[in-house]
Amino acid sequence: MADYDAVVVGSGHNGLASALVLSRAGWKVLVVEQSDVPGGASKSRELTLPGFVHDVHATNIGFFLGSDTFQEFKDDFFANGFGISAGDQPYASVFPDGDAVCGYMDPQKMVGELARQNPPTPRLGRRCCRSSAG
Ligand SMILES: Cc1cc2nc3c(=O)[nH]c(=O)nc-3n(C[C@H](O)[C@H](O)[C@H](O)COP(=O)(O)OP(=O)(O)OC[C@H]3O[C@@H](n4cnc5c(N)ncnc54)[C@H](O)[C@@H]3O)c2cc1C
């Protein structure tokens, strides 16, 4: 440990961003991670069928693309294999009754989807809360 200027505990995106900033400032940084897979709650894994990659936790991480960290390091990210995969239906919350609330990039479609949940806000909120509570 004496060989490092900083030790970052955890390789979630906050830990990795911290390590990047410190490294760029010339610090020698060690990142320690308890899991066998880095990335914390932002990682994706093949959880069901081969070739189908799922978000394990966080789904809506689009704001990262507008972050200072992404702007500062994006060239390095892309040079090291980072890629963006975006679709027009990026996510959905499914419910036990077989219905689902789908997220759309198209604002009109999104409004239509929310309107389908009529009355939109209270029912959607209740269903999301029930779903989250398991
Ligand atoms: C189910 C779920 C859904 C979410 N959905 C979204 C979403 O859609 N959009 C969004 O923006 N955010 C979402 N979040 C929140 C987002 O995932 C977190 O804000 C983000 O992951 C926090 O990043 P972090 O680097 O601080 O911590 P984490 O991502 O939690 O990473 C912490 C890391 O530290 C490691 N660690 C912990 N303790 C130790 C230790 N003692 N020694 C070594 N390693 C250690 C862990 O293994 C882990 O890898 C969601 C979170 C959850 C749980």
Side-chain angles (χ1 to χ4, degrees), residues 7-23 29-33 38-43 58 61 64 67-70 73 77:
V7 177
V8 174
V9 179
S11 68
H13 77 271
N14 283 320
L16 294 177
S18 304
L20 279 171
V21 170
L22 292 172
S23 296
V29 182
L30 173 69
V31 178
V32 293
E33 171 56 56
S42 59
K43 64 190 163 206
I61 55 171
F64 174 69
S67 69
D68 291 345
T69 302
F70 181 70
F73 294 100
F77 291 161

